[in-house]
Structure formats: C-alpha cells, structure tokens
Amino acid sequence: MAHIGGGPLSSRRAQQQETSVVESHFQGLLDDVMVDDDRYRALYGAFGYLQQQEWPDLSSACYAGFGAPPRAAQETSNDGNSFSCSGSISSGDGDSRKRKPDAHANAKKTLSQNDCKRTRGKQQQLCDPDQNAGAAGKRKPERPRPSSRKKPEVATTGERTDYIHVRARRGQATDSHSLAERVRRERISERMRYLQELVPGCDKVTGKAGMLDEIINYVQSLQKQVEFLSMKIAASNPVVNFNIVDDLFGGRRLNPAMALPVHGQLDPSCLQMSAMQQMQHPQAAGFGLEMMVGNQYPPAQSAAATPASVSAGASVESCLDVNGAAAWDIGSQNLFAGFDAQFQSVQSDCLLDNLKMEM
Amino acid sequence: MQGPSTKSFRQAFLENLLISLQLQQEHTSKHDSSSLGAAMSLHERKLAVKSSADVAMAAARGPGARWTRAILAPASSACKVQRCRRIVIRCRGHKRTLKRSARGGGGSTSNGGEVARRLVRRRTMALREVIPGGRDAAVDEATLLREAMDYVVHLRAQVDVLRQVSEAVQRSGSSILQ
C-alpha cells in the first residue's frame, strides 16, 4: 500500500520513508473506511473539519471589503461549496509541495482528489437541505468544537458540516487531538491574515499579540470616529430631527422643530465656522479627541483636505478651536440657535442634492 | 448577507439612521412635556445620533453575525436611549481598564512562551470588550476573529456614511447662510 515515488536525492529517503509510513497508515485507514460510512465520517472528524457555511461568509465579507462586486447569499453559499472542495484539493497540493518530489505529489494528489470527490458526492446529497435550512443564527451555537472528543457528535451532525482533508506533516504528531488542534490553529491564523489585510498598517507587525494590538486600536479608532461624526452631526443641527430629509426619503410628517431665539451677533462667527469646517476636514482641526486618531488612521478623503488645512492661517484655527471648545459646552446652544433658525428654512432640494451626490 | 461596500447597504443604513433618529426625537419629545422639549443637550444629541447609527448599521447588516444581535438586543427594549447610553459607558469603561492592564502587564515568570501567551490572552480579552457581543463565554477565538473582521468592515462603511451625512448637513446649513 505504500507508494513511494522515486526520490531524486538519497538524503530524502528517510524522510520519504517516514512520510510513506504515515501515508500508508492513513491510506490503509481510508481504504478500510471507504466501505464503512460511519467510520469514514468519524475519521474525517478526527482529521478536522471546517463548517461549510463559514466559507461563504468569509469570502463575501473579505471580498466585499476588497471591493469585489457583492454576491447574493445563495450564490455565495454555492461558491462556498466549490470553494471548500477546491480548498481541500489545494491543501493537499500545498502539503505535497512542501516535502515531496513530483511522483509522490501526483500519487497524493490523486488520493486527495478521490477523497474530495467522495466528499463532494456526500456533500451534494447533504448540501441542498443545508442551504435551505441555513439559518445563520443557528450556525454558531450548533457548530461542534473542533476536538476529537466530540467525534460522535460530529457523526450525528455530519449533515451540517463539511470536511477538509488534512494531512499530517512530517515530524508532527498524528494524534487526532493534535490534528484537530492544528486545524483550529490554522483557521485562527488564516483569519488573522485576513484581518491583517483589512487593518491598515498591520503588515509591518508580526506576531499575534502585535496584530491583535493593531486590530484593537483600529476598531477603537473607528468607534471614536463614529462618535466624533455623530457629535458633529448633532452639533450642526440643534434639533436632532431630519424632518426635511424624511420628507424626501420616507414621506413622513413630523412636528416642525421649535424655533429657538436667534442671536444676531453670533452669526458672523457661525458663518466663519461653517465655512472653515467645509474647507478643513474636521479631523485635521484641533479637536483633541480626534487628533491622534486622525493621524494614525486618516480616512482616504481627508488626505486631500489636510494639506489645504495645514496652510490655513492660525487665526482660523484659533477661531475653530474656540468654537470647538464651545461646542463641547452645553451652554453652546445659543451658538447653534443661529443655525437652527436658518435650518428651518432650508430648501428641501438642497439637502437632497447633497445627499444624492454623495451616494 | 450584503457586502458592506454596496450601495444598497449604505442606503439601508442611511434609511435606518433616519428612522431611528426620528424615533429618538419622538421619544424625547414625548417624555419631556415642556415647551422646550426639543432642546436636548449636545451630549444627548450626540449619543442619540451615535446609538441610532449603531442600531442602523446592525439592522442594515442583517442576520448572520453575532455583533448585530448584541447591538440590537439591548436597543430593542423599551427605554432605548437610556439603555444604550449605559451600555456605551460601560463598554468604554471596561475597554479602558482592560487596555491599561494589557499594556502594563509585565510577566514575572521566566518562561517567554508563557508571557507571550498571557499577552495574547489579555489582548484577546480586550478585543472581546471592543467587539460588541464578544463578551459571551460561548465565543471562541476563531469566531471572535471572524466577528472582528465583519465588524471592522461594517464600521468603515458606517464611518463613511456618517461623514457624508455630516458633510451634507453642513453644506446645506452653510449654503443657506451664504
């Protein structure tokens, strides 16, 4: 049952023999198992598995993040089927490329292909009820943990899981526990790689702790940006109601906002502030909350605005700072009262055009 | 599930944002029966916008991720604004303490591997605090990473939409002034 391809170097013979022993062992098991379905499933459970439904989520999330055209849910799950199959083939190839000459690789490829064909055959029976079942909410709690201790559970929930063909590498334990552990680790490292591509500036850091650090920083900075932007939105209209915009989008009717007293002497400063805020990107201004965050993860649109803002006069920035400091003050409602009175009379087309332009 | 960079997601997000803002407004005007009920403080307004943006993002994302449930579940209760505010404050407080402890943790043990593992564990816990819905004990590391990925992508879309909204509002406001 051993199938050793002719190795070019004699120094590799020991390595090949070891792998051949391992492989023959596995192949023996597989041959035995091909007659027995339950043991087949159990063995693949021992090898480790990846749940089928995870792949479509991952792929659509990541590809969408990379700008690929979005796909419908059904299509992604279909893609996920073929993806997982090709994944198992490619994983077999990858392992073979690492340590074996070509003849060996060919033998392995055919073996893994056979297995994959068989899994695909098994899949297709089980896939369709799977896709139709597909409540995503059920996936997470019901997914069995990738441990060989849950082998019987894997067998019973076999119709919900897909199996990836994992090969034991040279010098590593072939224990079912460690195999499952390795699969789990590989999955985690793969997700860390995806995250590395998502988070800017993460590719310079190596190691799990550093990357986790970067990810945490990025998420926190994004959340702070959301807070800052919401503060800005709340500041620029004193009454948080989008009556006008609602009329455009939803056709709702609301009570008109209360008219607050206008302070005439504040109008010039209002004008100045609004004009400056239009020119400058707010994250380049002296708002302390966003200063370091803006520098670390500057959004794409601000890249053009920041050079212009840097050249702005100091008086403008001081004015903006003063207004910014006032913005945090609760008593600044008078300042924005001027906005409100003008906001009341805003033409509906204006806001609609602005929004539609952006969208 | 829709990709977060699609136009439909952004439009759905915007729509939800407006709807929830409106609900917030109605909520406050209902509870403050005074004539000046519309004058919320700046902080309240900001929190209203932020919580409605989060809810809108989670609602537009649709089912299929854990963090959406974590955001929507507390927000769907009766006392919407109060609950959201408390949760936000609690998350922030936890975040800060955990980040501090993660940074300040130097190991006294000699084994380098253990120290590294402890650092990674601390940071994983810190990540749990940041990602909504990561606090449940049932979330293992792989799921947590996937949730983080999903959440990051949608957060970015949310930031973009919010920036556009704020720019549009300001532009409309200033164009009236000029």
Side-chain angles (χ1 to χ4, degrees), chain A residues 57-58 60 64 70 140 143 191 194 198 208-209 213 216 218-220 223 225-227 229-234 238 240 242 246 252 254 258 271 277-278 299 301 327 333 339 342 350 359, chain B residues 1 5-7 21-22 25-26 35 40 42 45-46 49-50 64 66 92 95 99 103 123 130 140-143 145-146 149 151-152 156 158-159 163 166 168-172 175 177:
Chain A
D57 288 345
L58 264 183
S60 58
K140 287 287 164 291
R143 179 185 68 158
R191 293 193 180 164
Y194 280 135
L198 264 183
K208 220 165 163 184
D213 224 10
I216 292 173
Y218 188 58
V219 170
Q220 281 179 341
Q223 286 174 344
Q225 278 188 18
V226 167
E227 270 199 42
L229 281 172
S230 60
M231 167 78 73
K232 200 165 147 231
I233 291 178
V240 181
F242 287 79
D246 264 338
R252 294 165 189 260
L254 271 196
M258 298 294 194
L271 275 169
Q277 276 190 347
Q278 249 189 327
Q301 292 97 326
Q333 284 181 5
F339 272 129
Q342 281 101 10
C350 182
M359 303 299 259
Chain B
M1 180 179 85
S5 55
T6 57
K7 204 169 177 187
L21 277 174
Q22 206 169 328
Q25 174 63 25
E26 284 176 1
S35 61
M40 290 160 69
L42 186 65
R45 288 203 306 267
K46 178 207 93 166
V49 173
K50 176 171 185 294
R66 228 188 174 80
R92 234 181 289 145
K95 218 190 302 178
K99 273 297 282 180
R103 291 220 184 264
R123 291 194 163 100
V130 173
D140 60 336
E141 202 173 332
T143 318
L145 286 179
R146 178 168 164 263
M149 217 163 35
Y151 186 57
V152 158
R156 250 198 247 166
Q158 182 189 37
V159 164
R163 183 178 306 127
S166 72
V169 164
Q170 278 197 327
R171 205 174 301 136
S172 73
S175 65
L177 296 175

XYZ file of all heavy atoms in Angstrom, chain A residues 57-58 60 64 70 140 143 191 194 198 208-209 213 216 218-220 223 225-227 229-234 238 240 242 246 252 254 258 271 277-278 299 301 327 333 339 342 350 359, chain B residues 1 5-7 21-22 25-26 35 40 42 45-46 49-50 64 66 92 95 99 103 123 130 140-143 145-146 149 151-152 156 158-159 163 166 168-172 175 177:
738
model
N -19.517 33.174 4.165
C -19.477 34.422 4.918
C -18.121 35.068 4.814
O -17.990 36.242 4.572
C -19.785 34.139 6.391
C -21.242 33.799 6.559
O -22.002 34.066 5.607
O -21.606 33.269 7.596
N -17.100 34.244 5.004
C -15.755 34.780 4.953
C -15.465 35.401 3.601
O -14.985 36.511 3.493
C -14.745 33.665 5.199
C -14.256 33.519 6.637
C -13.225 32.424 6.688
C -13.656 34.832 7.089
N -17.440 36.419 1.201
C -18.175 37.618 0.813
C -17.733 38.793 1.653
O -17.601 39.902 1.176
C -19.666 37.396 0.940
O -19.966 37.040 2.273
N -15.858 41.573 -0.323
C -16.557 42.856 -0.359
C -15.667 43.927 0.226
O -15.640 45.048 -0.236
C -17.865 42.757 0.406
N -20.490 42.563 -4.908
C -21.180 41.751 -3.914
C -21.989 40.662 -4.562
O -22.413 40.762 -5.720
C -22.080 42.761 -3.214
C -22.319 43.805 -4.237
C -21.086 43.886 -5.074
N -23.610 29.213 14.761
C -22.574 29.365 15.764
C -22.799 28.490 16.984
O -21.911 27.781 17.397
C -22.478 30.830 16.194
C -21.854 31.700 15.129
C -20.374 31.430 15.058
C -19.748 31.965 13.792
N -20.170 31.240 12.618
N -22.310 24.705 16.059
C -21.098 24.173 15.453
C -20.319 23.415 16.501
O -19.988 23.947 17.542
C -20.276 25.328 14.907
C -19.001 24.838 14.284
C -18.179 25.983 13.881
N -17.699 26.714 15.026
C -16.647 27.493 14.993
N -16.008 27.635 13.882
N -16.267 28.156 16.044
N -7.537 33.551 9.713
C -8.355 34.725 9.978
C -7.515 35.902 10.388
O -7.835 37.047 10.047
C -9.360 34.409 11.070
C -10.305 33.406 10.540
C -11.493 33.242 11.362
N -12.319 32.234 10.717
C -13.298 31.614 11.296
N -13.574 31.911 12.540
N -13.977 30.723 10.660
N -6.408 37.442 7.222
C -7.443 38.295 6.625
C -7.503 39.633 7.331
O -7.594 40.694 6.724
C -8.806 37.618 6.736
C -9.056 36.560 5.702
C -9.614 35.341 6.065
C -8.760 36.773 4.370
C -9.864 34.369 5.125
C -9.001 35.798 3.436
C -9.557 34.601 3.811
O -9.807 33.643 2.890
N -7.052 43.598 6.246
C -8.092 44.597 6.439
C -7.572 45.828 7.153
O -7.831 46.958 6.747
C -9.227 44.000 7.278
C -10.414 43.431 6.524
C -11.446 42.974 7.515
C -10.997 44.468 5.606
N 1.202 37.419 16.972
C -0.223 37.500 17.265
C -0.540 38.704 18.144
O -1.497 39.419 17.910
C -0.628 36.217 17.978
C -1.941 35.682 17.545
C -2.063 34.264 18.023
C -3.494 33.839 17.969
N -3.664 32.507 18.505
N 0.308 38.914 19.168
C -0.022 39.967 20.122
C -0.001 41.335 19.458
O -0.900 42.158 19.657
C 0.960 39.926 21.291
N -3.094 43.839 18.870
C -2.999 45.221 19.313
C -3.456 46.178 18.241
O -4.258 47.090 18.485
C -1.541 45.511 19.672
C -1.455 46.276 20.950
O -2.486 46.402 21.630
O -0.359 46.773 21.266
N -7.179 46.017 17.693
C -7.934 46.684 18.750
C -7.850 48.184 18.581
O -8.852 48.897 18.716
C -7.402 46.252 20.125
C -7.722 44.796 20.382
C -7.978 47.108 21.220
C -7.079 44.268 21.625
N -7.391 49.811 15.858
C -8.167 50.232 14.688
C -9.651 50.272 14.996
O -10.348 51.225 14.634
C -7.880 49.274 13.536
C -8.458 49.701 12.226
C -8.134 50.925 11.670
C -9.317 48.881 11.525
C -8.659 51.316 10.462
C -9.838 49.258 10.325
C -9.508 50.476 9.794
O -10.027 50.868 8.589
N -10.125 49.243 15.676
C -11.557 49.218 15.983
C -11.904 50.379 16.900
O -12.919 51.056 16.719
C -11.941 47.868 16.616
C -13.343 47.917 17.160
C -11.842 46.765 15.596
N -11.043 50.619 17.871
C -11.331 51.732 18.780
C -11.284 53.065 18.052
O -12.105 53.950 18.337
C -10.326 51.739 19.927
C -10.670 50.717 20.978
C -9.675 50.718 22.094
O -8.562 51.215 21.930
N -10.043 50.164 23.215
N -14.465 53.449 16.137
C -15.582 53.779 17.009
C -15.505 55.234 17.454
O -16.520 55.922 17.580
C -15.600 52.848 18.216
C -16.072 51.452 17.848
C -15.949 50.502 19.002
O -15.250 50.789 19.962
N -16.614 49.380 18.912
N -14.200 57.590 15.728
C -14.606 58.387 14.568
C -16.118 58.475 14.484
O -16.659 59.539 14.178
C -14.066 57.761 13.282
C -12.636 58.122 13.001
C -12.214 57.651 11.635
O -13.051 57.363 10.789
N -10.930 57.560 11.422
N -16.757 57.348 14.753
C -18.227 57.354 14.713
C -18.757 58.325 15.753
O -19.672 59.106 15.497
C -18.777 55.940 14.944
C -20.258 55.978 15.229
C -18.517 55.077 13.739
N -18.158 58.287 16.927
C -18.612 59.195 17.976
C -18.397 60.634 17.571
O -19.271 61.488 17.771
C -17.832 58.921 19.258
C -18.460 57.898 20.149
C -17.923 58.003 21.555
O -17.783 59.129 22.031
O -17.649 56.959 22.128
N -18.139 61.887 14.577
C -19.025 62.291 13.490
C -20.443 62.491 13.998
O -21.141 63.415 13.562
C -19.011 61.236 12.382
C -17.796 61.305 11.473
C -17.771 60.117 10.554
C -17.830 62.590 10.669
N -20.840 61.662 14.923
C -22.188 61.845 15.444
C -22.265 63.126 16.258
O -23.280 63.829 16.240
C -22.615 60.639 16.272
O -21.744 60.473 17.356
N -21.178 63.450 16.927
C -21.148 64.716 17.656
C -21.253 65.863 16.672
O -21.970 66.844 16.908
C -19.835 64.804 18.435
C -19.533 66.168 18.992
S -20.461 66.531 20.465
C -19.622 65.494 21.637
N -20.569 65.714 15.567
C -20.609 66.775 14.566
C -22.005 66.933 13.992
O -22.509 68.043 13.829
C -19.626 66.424 13.444
C -19.224 67.572 12.618
C -18.004 67.213 11.815
C -18.105 67.948 10.500
N -17.940 67.180 9.334
N -22.630 65.812 13.715
C -23.988 65.887 13.171
C -24.916 66.504 14.194
O -25.760 67.348 13.878
C -24.473 64.472 12.773
C -23.697 63.965 11.577
C -25.940 64.495 12.461
C -24.079 62.579 11.175
N -24.738 66.088 15.430
C -25.609 66.628 16.468
C -25.364 68.107 16.664
O -26.274 68.850 17.011
C -25.373 65.876 17.781
N -29.266 71.660 15.759
C -29.544 71.673 17.200
C -30.680 70.742 17.577
O -30.728 70.237 18.678
C -29.921 73.117 17.488
C -29.501 73.872 16.298
C -29.524 72.954 15.150
N -32.302 67.248 16.795
C -31.993 66.027 16.047
C -33.268 65.490 15.431
O -33.863 64.532 15.894
C -31.361 64.986 16.978
C -31.022 63.738 16.190
C -30.110 65.541 17.595
N -34.682 64.963 11.403
C -34.412 65.156 9.984
C -35.736 65.251 9.260
O -36.046 64.454 8.391
C -33.583 63.980 9.455
C -32.170 64.025 9.916
C -31.841 63.607 11.185
C -31.176 64.516 9.100
C -30.544 63.656 11.628
C -29.866 64.562 9.533
C -29.556 64.124 10.797
N -36.557 63.425 5.878
C -37.577 62.387 5.908
C -38.632 62.604 4.846
O -39.142 61.663 4.254
C -38.252 62.368 7.278
C -37.611 61.336 8.161
O -36.993 60.419 7.607
O -37.720 61.464 9.379
N -42.624 61.046 5.602
C -43.291 61.161 6.899
C -43.569 62.614 7.207
O -42.954 63.507 6.668
C -42.365 60.640 7.991
C -42.114 59.175 7.850
C -40.922 58.832 8.709
N -40.511 57.466 8.444
C -40.852 56.458 9.235
N -41.550 56.669 10.299
N -40.484 55.241 8.943
N -43.703 65.238 10.407
C -43.348 65.428 11.808
C -43.707 66.833 12.234
O -43.912 67.716 11.417
C -41.852 65.225 12.009
C -41.373 63.807 12.304
C -39.975 63.882 12.854
C -42.260 63.127 13.330
N -38.839 73.280 17.091
C -39.051 74.513 17.839
C -38.106 75.594 17.331
O -36.942 75.344 17.106
C -38.770 74.277 19.322
C -39.694 73.260 19.932
S -41.352 73.895 19.935
C -42.130 72.769 21.035
N -21.005 81.831 10.550
C -20.629 81.761 9.138
C -19.193 81.297 8.993
O -18.867 80.437 8.202
C -20.792 83.150 8.502
C -22.195 83.486 8.018
C -22.265 84.955 7.667
C -22.540 82.635 6.827
N -15.244 74.834 8.437
C -15.450 73.394 8.564
C -15.682 72.753 7.217
O -15.449 71.575 7.033
C -16.636 73.120 9.484
C -16.201 73.134 10.926
C -17.296 72.630 11.829
O -18.426 72.503 11.417
N -16.955 72.347 13.061
N -16.167 73.542 6.315
C -16.302 72.973 4.979
C -14.950 72.750 4.342
O -14.700 71.760 3.699
C -17.121 73.928 4.106
C -18.482 73.376 3.769
C -19.155 74.235 2.740
O -18.955 75.441 2.730
N -19.920 73.634 1.880
N -8.629 58.928 7.153
C -9.516 58.413 6.109
C -9.052 58.887 4.739
O -8.348 59.859 4.623
C -10.878 58.997 6.470
C -10.721 59.576 7.817
C -9.281 59.860 8.022
N -10.525 60.300 2.280
C -10.930 61.586 1.727
C -10.183 62.742 2.354
O -10.074 63.799 1.772
C -12.430 61.819 1.931
C -13.284 60.882 1.108
C -13.722 59.719 1.942
O -12.987 59.262 2.814
N -14.913 59.243 1.685
N -18.172 74.081 21.517
C -19.106 73.044 21.089
C -19.295 72.014 22.181
O -20.349 71.396 22.283
C -18.615 72.385 19.810
N -25.741 76.109 23.155
C -26.954 76.018 22.356
C -27.291 77.341 21.719
O -27.873 77.395 20.642
C -28.118 75.583 23.226
C -28.056 74.108 23.532
C -29.223 73.680 24.369
O -30.106 74.466 24.631
N -29.198 72.432 24.788
N -27.956 78.607 13.729
C -28.083 77.577 12.703
C -29.518 77.137 12.559
O -30.012 76.905 11.481
C -27.238 76.362 13.084
C -25.849 76.469 12.585
C -24.794 76.270 13.432
C -25.597 76.771 11.252
C -23.500 76.360 12.967
C -24.306 76.859 10.790
C -23.252 76.657 11.658
N -31.884 79.255 10.589
C -31.680 79.148 9.148
C -32.001 77.759 8.648
O -32.401 77.575 7.521
C -30.243 79.505 8.765
C -30.009 80.987 8.716
C -29.316 81.449 9.962
O -28.871 80.634 10.745
N -29.229 82.755 10.147
N -31.931 71.156 -1.616
C -30.514 71.323 -1.329
C -29.954 70.101 -0.637
O -28.996 69.496 -1.062
C -30.365 72.554 -0.446
S -28.689 72.926 -0.051
N -24.050 59.823 -2.386
C -24.390 58.414 -2.529
C -24.183 57.998 -3.972
O -23.936 56.863 -4.240
C -25.847 58.157 -2.137
C -26.147 58.601 -0.735
S -25.187 57.743 0.483
C -26.355 56.576 1.053
N -26.588 37.868 2.992
C -25.752 38.916 3.592
C -25.227 39.826 2.500
O -24.796 39.372 1.458
C -24.587 38.257 4.331
C -23.667 39.264 4.972
S -22.341 38.468 5.831
C -21.222 38.229 4.502
N -19.770 47.311 1.272
C -19.417 48.398 0.382
C -20.473 48.597 -0.687
O -20.301 49.409 -1.568
C -18.071 48.105 -0.265
O -18.139 46.839 -0.905
N -21.535 47.838 -0.620
C -22.556 48.009 -1.643
C -23.376 49.241 -1.368
O -23.491 49.709 -0.246
C -23.503 46.816 -1.677
O -24.078 46.674 -0.379
C -22.762 45.566 -2.027
N -23.945 49.721 -2.423
C -24.765 50.913 -2.300
C -26.026 50.603 -1.509
O -26.515 51.431 -0.759
C -25.120 51.398 -3.701
C -25.456 52.846 -3.769
C -25.520 53.303 -5.200
C -25.940 54.751 -5.209
N -26.195 55.223 -6.562
N -33.342 58.028 14.252
C -33.213 59.392 14.766
C -34.579 59.986 15.026
O -34.816 60.655 16.037
C -32.447 60.251 13.769
C -30.932 60.134 13.879
C -30.280 60.899 12.764
C -30.471 60.663 15.204
N -35.463 59.704 14.097
C -36.814 60.195 14.276
C -37.451 59.613 15.513
O -38.108 60.301 16.281
C -37.621 59.798 13.048
C -38.767 60.692 12.768
C -39.310 60.349 11.406
O -38.562 59.956 10.536
N -40.589 60.468 11.260
N -36.199 61.260 18.498
C -36.776 62.570 18.676
C -38.168 62.466 19.268
O -38.533 63.184 20.194
C -36.829 63.275 17.309
C -37.544 64.597 17.321
C -36.847 65.596 18.191
O -35.648 65.501 18.413
N -37.599 66.540 18.698
N -38.923 61.522 18.735
C -40.276 61.343 19.253
C -40.233 60.904 20.697
O -41.041 61.322 21.522
C -41.018 60.305 18.418
C -41.465 60.838 17.088
C -42.101 59.756 16.248
O -42.192 58.622 16.731
O -42.486 60.059 15.114
N -42.366 72.908 26.908
C -42.359 73.520 25.582
C -40.974 73.477 24.961
O -40.826 73.518 23.753
C -42.860 74.964 25.685
O -41.981 75.692 26.532
N -32.523 69.205 23.326
C -31.668 68.253 24.023
C -30.278 68.841 24.147
O -29.852 69.627 23.311
C -31.584 66.944 23.233
C -32.859 66.158 23.224
S -32.875 64.993 21.868
C -31.639 63.843 22.388
N -26.201 68.827 24.025
C -25.326 68.356 22.943
C -24.950 66.898 23.140
O -24.927 66.099 22.202
C -24.079 69.231 22.885
C -23.139 68.937 21.713
C -23.846 69.277 20.424
C -21.879 69.738 21.837
N -27.763 64.654 22.303
C -27.967 64.565 20.855
C -26.911 63.675 20.242
O -27.192 62.842 19.372
C -27.895 65.954 20.233
C -29.089 66.803 20.550
C -29.253 67.874 19.510
N -28.048 68.665 19.326
C -27.790 69.792 19.965
N -28.649 70.249 20.850
N -26.672 70.463 19.737
N -25.685 63.856 20.711
C -24.609 63.049 20.138
C -24.844 61.576 20.415
O -24.666 60.720 19.551
C -23.273 63.486 20.735
C -22.128 62.632 20.201
C -21.008 62.574 21.149
C -21.149 61.361 22.047
N -19.934 61.054 22.794
N -27.537 60.289 18.169
C -27.071 60.027 16.801
C -26.219 58.766 16.770
O -26.356 57.911 15.893
C -26.280 61.230 16.274
C -25.655 60.912 14.941
C -27.175 62.432 16.151
N -25.348 58.656 17.738
C -24.422 57.516 17.726
C -25.161 56.204 17.914
O -24.916 55.228 17.205
C -23.389 57.681 18.815
C -22.474 56.488 18.913
C -21.331 56.746 19.849
C -20.379 55.592 19.836
N -20.956 54.377 20.383
N -26.781 37.050 10.661
C -25.603 36.339 10.204
C -24.344 36.711 10.933
O -23.286 36.191 10.649
N -22.760 37.854 14.947
C -23.096 37.897 16.356
C -23.255 39.321 16.869
O -24.093 39.599 17.718
C -21.963 37.235 17.128
C -22.414 36.255 18.107
C -21.228 35.814 18.925
N -21.667 34.958 19.978
C -21.940 33.680 19.824
N -21.794 33.125 18.666
N -22.362 32.952 20.826
N -17.135 51.470 27.361
C -15.972 52.335 27.316
C -15.117 52.145 28.543
O -13.900 52.084 28.485
C -16.413 53.784 27.188
C -15.759 54.478 26.016
C -16.190 55.906 25.945
N -17.578 56.041 25.538
C -18.393 56.979 26.000
N -17.967 57.839 26.873
N -19.645 57.041 25.600
N -13.336 48.894 28.401
C -12.296 48.974 27.380
C -11.042 49.589 27.942
O -9.953 49.096 27.775
C -12.837 49.835 26.243
C -12.448 49.374 24.878
C -12.815 50.416 23.870
C -14.294 50.744 23.889
N -14.648 51.789 22.938
N -7.486 47.770 28.469
C -6.350 48.167 27.653
C -5.176 48.518 28.537
O -4.036 48.192 28.259
C -6.720 49.368 26.776
C -7.343 48.962 25.479
C -6.394 48.164 24.626
C -5.402 49.057 23.960
N -4.484 48.312 23.134
N -1.577 46.647 28.568
C -0.297 47.292 28.271
C 0.655 47.154 29.439
O 1.852 46.968 29.272
C -0.542 48.771 27.984
C -1.282 48.976 26.705
C -0.698 50.170 25.981
N -1.466 50.444 24.791
C -1.111 50.001 23.598
N -0.031 49.295 23.458
N -1.844 50.257 22.557
N -4.879 40.452 25.235
C -5.352 41.228 24.108
C -6.613 40.635 23.521
O -7.465 41.361 23.019
C -4.263 41.307 23.047
C -3.140 42.147 23.561
C -2.176 42.573 22.521
N -1.406 43.667 23.044
C -0.191 43.526 23.537
N 0.364 42.352 23.580
N 0.457 44.563 23.985
N -14.120 45.135 23.002
C -14.347 46.158 21.982
C -15.423 45.723 20.994
O -16.305 46.510 20.642
C -13.021 46.442 21.239
C -13.257 47.355 20.075
C -12.030 47.060 22.184
N -15.592 31.543 20.822
C -14.198 31.117 20.840
C -13.368 32.054 19.962
O -13.885 32.960 19.335
C -14.086 29.675 20.356
C -14.624 29.553 18.944
O -15.452 30.401 18.560
O -14.217 28.623 18.244
N -12.108 31.763 19.925
C -11.211 32.747 19.325
C -11.445 32.909 17.833
O -11.432 34.023 17.302
C -9.773 32.309 19.576
C -8.794 33.458 19.490
C -7.422 33.029 19.907
O -7.345 32.095 20.722
O -6.447 33.594 19.399
N -11.657 31.769 17.164
C -11.860 31.856 15.718
C -13.103 32.674 15.384
O -13.099 33.532 14.495
C -11.976 30.449 15.133
N -14.173 32.412 16.134
C -15.399 33.183 15.909
C -15.171 34.650 16.211
O -15.684 35.527 15.513
C -16.531 32.648 16.796
O -16.487 31.241 16.793
C -17.858 33.130 16.297
N -12.466 36.326 15.947
C -11.719 36.977 14.875
C -12.617 37.233 13.674
O -12.520 38.292 13.041
C -10.536 36.104 14.466
C -9.389 36.089 15.469
C -8.288 35.192 14.980
C -8.860 37.498 15.652
N -13.470 36.275 13.393
C -14.350 36.479 12.247
C -15.316 37.617 12.511
O -15.615 38.442 11.647
C -15.112 35.176 11.972
C -16.067 35.331 10.843
C -16.585 34.000 10.401
N -17.764 34.223 9.594
C -18.993 34.148 10.057
N -19.198 33.816 11.286
N -20.008 34.387 9.257
N -13.538 40.840 12.038
C -13.384 41.164 10.633
C -14.659 41.795 10.086
O -14.649 42.852 9.454
C -13.118 39.846 9.893
C -12.158 39.950 8.786
S -11.520 38.365 8.272
C -12.864 37.285 8.487
N -17.117 43.139 11.708
C -17.432 44.389 12.368
C -16.579 45.525 11.817
O -17.064 46.629 11.614
C -17.201 44.226 13.861
C -17.630 45.393 14.694
C -18.930 45.850 14.660
C -16.741 46.029 15.523
C -19.333 46.911 15.428
C -17.132 47.086 16.301
C -18.431 47.530 16.247
O -18.820 48.578 17.001
N -15.308 45.249 11.565
C -14.425 46.283 11.043
C -14.913 46.768 9.703
O -14.977 47.978 9.439
C -12.985 45.739 10.943
C -12.183 46.532 9.942
C -12.310 45.788 12.280
N -16.336 50.600 8.983
C -15.777 51.520 8.000
C -16.869 52.119 7.135
O -16.864 53.318 6.833
C -14.778 50.779 7.113
C -13.380 51.200 7.365
C -12.527 50.805 6.222
N -11.596 49.784 6.626
C -10.904 49.053 5.787
N -11.070 49.193 4.508
N -10.067 48.166 6.234
N -19.920 52.467 7.983
C -20.705 53.374 8.815
C -20.022 54.729 8.915
O -20.670 55.778 8.832
C -20.870 52.763 10.205
C -21.721 53.603 11.127
C -21.684 53.081 12.543
O -20.655 52.626 12.995
N -22.801 53.161 13.219
N -18.705 54.691 9.105
C -17.974 55.962 9.205
C -18.110 56.756 7.920
O -18.323 57.968 7.943
C -16.504 55.687 9.551
C -15.649 56.885 9.276
C -16.374 55.288 10.993
N -19.922 60.357 7.681
C -19.183 61.536 7.231
C -19.928 62.228 6.109
O -20.021 63.456 6.064
C -17.797 61.122 6.760
C -16.975 62.322 6.358
C -15.601 61.916 5.954
N -14.971 61.138 6.985
C -14.430 59.943 6.776
N -14.422 59.420 5.582
N -13.877 59.279 7.771
N -22.862 64.091 7.559
C -22.497 65.321 8.256
C -22.065 66.393 7.274
O -22.400 67.571 7.440
C -21.388 65.040 9.267
O -20.175 64.798 8.592
N -23.083 66.684 4.220
C -24.278 67.155 3.519
C -25.073 68.108 4.390
O -25.537 69.156 3.926
C -25.144 65.959 3.114
N -25.191 67.757 5.656
C -25.952 68.622 6.550
C -25.271 69.968 6.682
O -25.917 71.019 6.648
C -26.108 67.926 7.920
C -26.532 68.909 8.975
C -27.122 66.812 7.825
N -23.956 69.922 6.821
C -23.257 71.190 6.967
C -23.325 72.014 5.716
O -23.462 73.233 5.769
C -21.804 70.919 7.313
C -21.630 70.638 8.782
C -20.219 70.781 9.172
O -19.338 70.495 8.381
N -19.988 71.208 10.376
N -23.202 71.321 4.587
C -23.237 72.068 3.336
C -24.580 72.734 3.150
O -24.674 73.876 2.728
C -22.946 71.128 2.168
C -22.366 71.873 0.973
C -21.953 70.883 -0.082
N -20.982 69.956 0.438
C -21.010 68.655 0.231
N -21.981 68.130 -0.469
N -20.078 67.871 0.711
N -25.620 71.992 3.510
C -26.940 72.582 3.363
C -27.109 73.741 4.325
O -27.660 74.776 3.972
C -28.002 71.524 3.621
O -28.048 71.232 4.993
N -24.948 76.673 3.064
C -25.398 77.266 1.810
C -26.580 78.171 2.055
O -26.813 79.107 1.307
C -25.767 76.171 0.806
O -26.875 75.441 1.289
N -26.784 79.921 4.793
C -26.252 81.119 5.420
C -25.646 82.046 4.381
O -25.662 83.255 4.524
C -25.185 80.727 6.443
C -25.706 79.911 7.625
C -24.539 79.469 8.500
C -26.662 80.739 8.455
